[in-house]
Amino acid sequence: MGQPRPLKRVTILIVGVAGTDGVDELDVALLDALHVNPQVSFEELGRVLDISPVTAARRWRRLVSTGRAWVSSAIGPRLPVKAALFEAECQPGAAQSVATEFATRPQVFSVNITTGKDNIYALLVAADQPLLSELIVDVLPAVPGLLRVQSALITELFSGTRWRLGGLSPDQVRAVTPEPGTTAQVHEFDEFDRELFLALQRDGRLSCRDLAATVGQSESAVRRRLGLLTRSGVLAFRTDFARVEVGWLTGVAVKLRVSGSPVEAVGRTLVQYPETRFCAATVGGGAANMFVTMQLHELAALDAVICRLLAEYPAVAVLDRRVVLRSVKSWGRLLGPDGHARDIVPVDPWASLTKS
């Protein structure tokens, strides 16, 4: 591969003031590179973006310290966990308190308040089906302020860890894209793995040295285990950010009924759309069998996205569209009204449901 081209100018809607207190074009490019490869080194980022590694590191630390961006561990495709969509209709005025209570649960990885009758949706992940069932049947419905709840099990996840902002040229994307993994090894998740996962929830870019100090293991043991976890497909990483900062002002949640085409084909198509943030096949939630969340520059853009999908799959039916009014939790991060991360309840599928 030749030398990567310097950062090209791109046209992106930026909300806020560039410089010390805002996000500028270089920040967007940095975020985009970290979406492609959350583990890329600052040295490589510097080469690709035509800046010094010190500048790349400083920019990233500023984004993290202000709650604008973060990298965390994510569940790999081969980690055997169970997931679900949980929706609730709240009493008038109770949506915020219900969402806040849901967000305290480590198995509830995302919570959003929306328009519509079912004005909260939460995404859940648990180590096994009995734990997930207890959460859905006993724990969450007992939260004060609920009128009605419903749930659907997630049978296949098509996206959730990768997203693009359009801040890099194709050459720059290729330059930061990690090499394909080696042949997957079979690995049974254990307590050491859980400790690493939880430590990386707080900071997915921790060095092996800092991670070893956090979990009380040797640096060599940590490095070996991380390599095994990523190669075996049970550990992944994701980059997230305060979306309003880079012009993605509106979140929407859409329920689809897919017929006439395989659900997998529709899911693979949807994850290619730049607007798609989360896409999953579901079962048990009524007529819908797919749940999709999208991020848009403006609400009016949703019709064009839906039309694009229906042109490819005419038999797909759109059953529900809801606008996100407030994101309360995103993959463990507790968010303020501005979308900035304020705190964290680490995603922990293995945690006890009994609060200490």
Side-chain angles (χ1 to χ4, degrees):
M1 182 181 298
Q3 290 295 318
R5 297 176 184 173
L7 176 64
K8 294 181 178 179
R9 292 194 63 83
V10 291
T11 302
I12 299 174
L13 174 63
I14 302 296
V15 176
V17 180
T20 303
D21 297 325
V23 173
D24 62 18
E25 183 181 291
L26 182 54
D27 290 326
V28 173
L30 182 67
L31 282 169
D32 210 8
L34 285 162
H35 271 90
V36 176
N37 184 358
Q39 296 293 288
V40 64
S41 69
F42 289 121
E43 287 74 16
E44 183 63 20
L45 283 170
R47 285 194 293 272
V48 170
L49 301 181
D50 197 27
I51 58 177
S52 73
V54 172
T55 297
R58 185 179 67 248
R59 289 270 184 157
W60 176 245
R61 284 195 296 268
R62 181 176 62 82
L63 291 170
V64 171
S65 66
T66 56
R68 287 177 164 90
W70 53 94
V71 170
S72 57
S73 55
I75 291 167
R78 291 188 175 86
L79 185 63
V81 294
K82 304 297 182 180
L85 166 67
F86 189 85
E87 299 173 284
E89 178 188 355
C90 300
Q91 296 173 1
Q96 182 62 57
S97 63
V98 170
T100 299
E101 179 61 25
F102 282 1
T104 65
R105 295 286 176 176
Q107 292 91 357
V108 178
F109 64 84
S110 292
V111 183
N112 291 271
I113 301 172
T114 72
T115 58
K117 187 175 182 180
D118 294 324
N119 54 345
I120 287 182
Y121 77 83
L123 296 168
L124 322 179
V125 62
D128 52 42
Q129 190 62 50
L131 191 64
L132 184 65
S133 297
E134 186 178 354
L135 190 66
I136 291 172
V137 175
D138 302 319
V139 176
L140 296 183
V143 172
L146 296 176
L147 291 175
R148 186 180 63 86
V149 300
Q150 65 177 3
S151 59
L153 299 185
I154 292 174
T155 57
E156 187 169 357
L157 180 63
F158 299 104
S159 68
T161 61
R162 294 290 182 267
W163 207 37
R164 295 300 316 285
L165 298 176
L168 299 180
S169 70
D171 283 349
Q172 289 170 317
V173 172
R174 285 190 290 271
V176 296
T177 299
E179 294 293 329
T182 57
T183 303
Q185 299 174 250
V186 176
H187 175 69
E188 186 172 345
F189 206 82
D190 60 24
E191 187 59 30
F192 181 23
D193 302 329
R194 181 189 178 194
E195 290 177 356
L196 291 173
F197 181 90
L198 293 178
L200 291 165
Q201 273 286 289
R202 297 185 178 277
D203 183 358
R205 289 182 60 82
L206 276 177
S207 67
C208 285
R209 176 183 298 177
D210 291 338
L211 190 54
T214 300
V215 301
Q217 297 280 349
S218 70
E219 185 175 344
S220 59
V222 165
R223 183 173 287 104
R224 285 195 303 270
R225 183 57 64 94
L226 282 179
L228 176 59
L229 292 173
T230 54
R231 288 194 305 272
S232 61
V234 299
L235 176 67
F237 294 91
R238 57 176 279 159
T239 301
D240 212 338
F241 63 101
R243 294 157 205 172
V244 68
E245 295 276 0
V246 288
W248 298 89
L249 304 179
T250 304
V252 296
V254 180
K255 284 184 174 181
L256 305 174
R257 182 179 68 240
V258 177
S259 57
S261 301
V263 171
E264 292 80 3
V266 177
R268 287 194 297 269
T269 296
L270 278 166
V271 297
Q272 300 304 314
Y273 290 5
E275 300 87 356
T276 300
R277 182 61 178 161
F278 181 88
C279 180
T282 62
V283 65
N289 57 1
M290 181 166 282
F291 180 77
V292 186
T293 68
M294 296 182 178
Q295 207 75 24
L296 308 169
H297 291 307
E298 57 183 357
L299 185 56
L302 179 59
D303 285 343
V305 177
I306 296 298
C307 287
R308 188 192 324 161
L309 177 64
L310 298 184
E312 295 187 70
Y313 299 98
V316 169
V318 180
L319 303 184
D320 187 36
R321 312 182 193 192
R322 282 179 283 163
V323 179
V324 175
L325 300 175
R326 184 173 297 167
S327 290
V328 178
K329 188 179 187 182
S330 177
W331 194 249
R333 254 57 180 196
L334 303 182
L335 307 179
D338 57 2
H340 292 191
R342 304 299 189 194
D343 205 346
I344 181 172
V345 176
V347 177
D348 187 355
W350 312 274
S352 169
L353 293 178
T354 303
K355 286 190 174 182
S356 55

